[in-house]
CSV table of all heavy atoms in Angstrom, one decimal:
chain,number,residue,atom,x,y,z
A,175,THR,N,23.8,-13.7,-28.4
A,175,THR,CA,24.9,-14.2,-29.1
A,175,THR,C,26.2,-13.8,-28.3
A,175,THR,O,26.3,-12.7,-27.7
A,175,THR,CB,25.1,-13.5,-30.5
A,175,THR,OG1,23.9,-13.7,-31.2
A,175,THR,CG2,26.2,-14.1,-31.3
A,176,LEU,N,27.1,-14.7,-28.2
A,176,LEU,CA,28.3,-14.5,-27.4
A,176,LEU,C,29.4,-15.5,-27.8
A,176,LEU,O,29.2,-16.4,-28.6
A,176,LEU,CB,28.0,-14.7,-25.9
A,176,LEU,CG,27.6,-16.1,-25.4
A,176,LEU,CD1,27.9,-16.3,-24.0
A,176,LEU,CD2,26.1,-16.3,-25.6
A,177,CYS,N,30.6,-15.2,-27.2
A,177,CYS,CA,31.7,-16.1,-27.4
A,177,CYS,C,31.7,-17.2,-26.3
A,177,CYS,O,31.5,-16.9,-25.2
A,177,CYS,CB,33.0,-15.3,-27.4
A,177,CYS,SG,33.1,-14.0,-28.7
A,178,SER,N,32.0,-18.4,-26.7
A,178,SER,CA,31.9,-19.5,-25.8
A,178,SER,C,33.0,-19.6,-24.8
A,178,SER,O,32.9,-20.2,-23.8
A,178,SER,CB,31.8,-20.8,-26.6
A,178,SER,OG,33.0,-21.0,-27.3
A,179,ALA,N,34.1,-18.9,-25.0
A,179,ALA,CA,35.2,-18.9,-24.1
A,179,ALA,C,34.7,-18.3,-22.7
A,179,ALA,O,34.0,-17.3,-22.7
A,179,ALA,CB,36.4,-18.1,-24.6
A,187,PHE,N,28.4,-9.3,-27.0
A,187,PHE,CA,29.1,-9.8,-28.3
A,187,PHE,C,29.1,-8.6,-29.3
A,187,PHE,O,30.1,-8.4,-30.0
A,187,PHE,CB,28.4,-11.0,-28.8
A,187,PHE,CG,29.0,-11.4,-30.2
A,187,PHE,CD1,30.2,-12.1,-30.3
A,187,PHE,CD2,28.2,-11.1,-31.3
A,187,PHE,CE1,30.6,-12.5,-31.5
A,187,PHE,CE2,28.7,-11.5,-32.6
A,187,PHE,CZ,29.9,-12.2,-32.7
A,191,CYS,N,32.3,-6.8,-31.0
A,191,CYS,CA,32.6,-6.7,-32.5
A,191,CYS,C,32.9,-5.3,-33.0
A,191,CYS,O,33.8,-5.1,-33.7
A,191,CYS,CB,31.4,-7.3,-33.2
A,191,CYS,SG,31.2,-9.1,-33.2
A,221,TYR,N,31.2,-3.7,-38.1
A,221,TYR,CA,30.8,-4.9,-37.3
A,221,TYR,C,31.3,-6.2,-37.9
A,221,TYR,O,31.9,-7.1,-37.2
A,221,TYR,CB,29.2,-5.0,-37.4
A,221,TYR,CG,28.7,-6.2,-36.8
A,221,TYR,CD1,28.6,-6.5,-35.5
A,221,TYR,CD2,28.2,-7.2,-37.7
A,221,TYR,CE1,28.1,-7.7,-35.0
A,221,TYR,CE2,27.7,-8.4,-37.2
A,221,TYR,CZ,27.6,-8.6,-35.8
A,221,TYR,OH,27.1,-9.8,-35.4
A,224,GLY,N,35.0,-6.8,-37.1
A,224,GLY,CA,35.2,-7.3,-35.7
A,224,GLY,C,34.8,-8.7,-35.6
A,224,GLY,O,35.5,-9.5,-35.0
A,225,ARG,N,33.7,-9.1,-36.2
A,225,ARG,CA,33.2,-10.5,-36.1
A,225,ARG,C,34.2,-11.4,-36.8
A,225,ARG,O,34.5,-12.5,-36.3
A,225,ARG,CB,31.9,-10.6,-36.8
A,225,ARG,CG,31.3,-12.0,-36.6
A,225,ARG,CD,29.9,-12.1,-37.2
A,225,ARG,NE,29.3,-13.4,-36.9
A,225,ARG,CZ,28.2,-13.7,-36.2
A,225,ARG,NH1,27.5,-12.7,-35.7
A,225,ARG,NH2,27.8,-14.9,-36.1
A,226,GLN,N,34.8,-11.0,-38.0
A,226,GLN,CA,35.7,-11.8,-38.7
A,226,GLN,C,37.0,-12.0,-37.8
A,226,GLN,O,37.5,-13.1,-37.8
A,226,GLN,CB,36.1,-11.2,-40.0
A,226,GLN,CG,37.1,-12.0,-40.8
A,226,GLN,CD,37.5,-11.3,-42.1
A,226,GLN,OE1,36.9,-10.3,-42.5
A,226,GLN,NE2,38.5,-11.8,-42.8
A,228,ILE,N,37.1,-12.1,-34.6
A,228,ILE,CA,36.8,-13.1,-33.5
A,228,ILE,C,36.8,-14.5,-34.1
A,228,ILE,O,37.3,-15.4,-33.4
A,228,ILE,CB,35.4,-12.7,-32.9
A,228,ILE,CG1,35.5,-11.4,-32.1
A,228,ILE,CG2,34.9,-13.9,-32.0
A,228,ILE,CD1,34.2,-10.9,-31.6
A,229,GLU,N,36.2,-14.7,-35.3
A,229,GLU,CA,36.2,-16.0,-35.9
A,229,GLU,C,37.6,-16.5,-36.2
A,229,GLU,O,37.8,-17.7,-36.1
A,229,GLU,CB,35.3,-16.0,-37.1
A,229,GLU,CG,33.8,-15.7,-36.9
A,229,GLU,CD,33.0,-15.5,-38.1
A,229,GLU,OE1,33.6,-15.3,-39.2
A,229,GLU,OE2,31.8,-15.6,-38.1
A,230,GLU,N,38.5,-15.6,-36.6
A,230,GLU,CA,39.8,-16.0,-37.0
A,230,GLU,C,40.6,-16.3,-35.7
A,230,GLU,O,41.7,-17.1,-35.8
A,230,GLU,CB,40.5,-14.9,-37.8
A,230,GLU,CG,39.9,-14.8,-39.2
A,230,GLU,CD,40.4,-13.5,-39.9
A,230,GLU,OE1,41.2,-12.7,-39.2
A,230,GLU,OE2,40.2,-13.4,-41.1
A,232,PHE,N,39.9,-18.1,-32.9
A,232,PHE,CA,39.0,-19.1,-32.2
A,232,PHE,C,39.6,-19.5,-30.9
A,232,PHE,O,38.9,-19.7,-29.9
A,232,PHE,CB,38.8,-20.3,-33.1
A,232,PHE,CG,38.0,-21.4,-32.5
A,232,PHE,CD1,36.7,-21.4,-32.5
A,232,PHE,CD2,38.7,-22.5,-31.9
A,232,PHE,CE1,35.9,-22.4,-31.9
A,232,PHE,CE2,38.0,-23.5,-31.2
A,232,PHE,CZ,36.6,-23.4,-31.2
A,235,TYR,N,38.8,-16.6,-28.4
A,235,TYR,CA,37.4,-16.2,-28.1
A,235,TYR,C,36.5,-17.4,-28.1
A,235,TYR,O,35.4,-17.3,-27.5
A,235,TYR,CB,36.9,-15.2,-29.2
A,235,TYR,CG,37.7,-13.9,-29.2
A,235,TYR,CD1,38.8,-13.7,-30.0
A,235,TYR,CD2,37.3,-12.9,-28.4
A,235,TYR,CE1,39.4,-12.5,-30.0
A,235,TYR,CE2,37.9,-11.7,-28.3
A,235,TYR,CZ,39.0,-11.5,-29.2
A,235,TYR,OH,39.7,-10.3,-29.1
A,236,GLY,N,36.8,-18.5,-28.7
A,236,GLY,CA,36.0,-19.6,-28.7
A,236,GLY,C,34.9,-19.5,-29.8
A,236,GLY,O,35.0,-18.6,-30.6
A,237,GLU,N,34.0,-20.5,-29.8
A,237,GLU,CA,33.0,-20.5,-30.8
A,237,GLU,C,31.9,-19.4,-30.5
A,237,GLU,O,31.6,-19.1,-29.4
A,237,GLU,CB,32.3,-21.9,-30.7
A,237,GLU,CG,31.2,-22.1,-31.8
A,237,GLU,CD,30.5,-23.5,-31.6
A,237,GLU,OE1,30.9,-24.2,-30.6
A,237,GLU,OE2,29.7,-23.8,-32.4
A,238,ILE,N,31.4,-18.9,-31.6
A,238,ILE,CA,30.2,-18.0,-31.5
A,238,ILE,C,29.0,-18.8,-31.4
A,238,ILE,O,28.6,-19.6,-32.2
A,238,ILE,CB,30.2,-17.1,-32.8
A,238,ILE,CG1,31.4,-16.2,-32.9
A,238,ILE,CG2,28.9,-16.1,-32.7
A,238,ILE,CD1,31.5,-15.4,-34.1
A,239,ILE,N,28.3,-18.6,-30.2
A,239,ILE,CA,27.1,-19.4,-29.9
A,239,ILE,C,25.9,-18.4,-29.7
A,239,ILE,O,26.1,-17.2,-29.5
A,239,ILE,CB,27.3,-20.3,-28.7
A,239,ILE,CG1,27.6,-19.5,-27.5
A,239,ILE,CG2,28.5,-21.3,-29.0
A,239,ILE,CD1,27.7,-20.3,-26.2
A,240,THR,N,24.7,-19.0,-29.7
A,240,THR,CA,23.5,-18.3,-29.3
A,240,THR,C,22.8,-18.9,-28.2
A,240,THR,O,23.0,-20.1,-27.9
A,240,THR,CB,22.5,-18.2,-30.6
A,240,THR,OG1,22.2,-19.6,-30.9
A,240,THR,CG2,23.2,-17.6,-31.7
Side-chain angles (χ1 to χ4, degrees):
T175 305
L176 65 155
C177 300
S178 61
F187 173 78
C191 286
Y221 171 77
R225 186 176 184 122
Q226 181 181 351
I228 291 173
E229 291 173 345
E230 291 172 351
F232 176 83
Y235 295 95
E237 181 185 4
I238 297 175
I239 62 174
T240 60

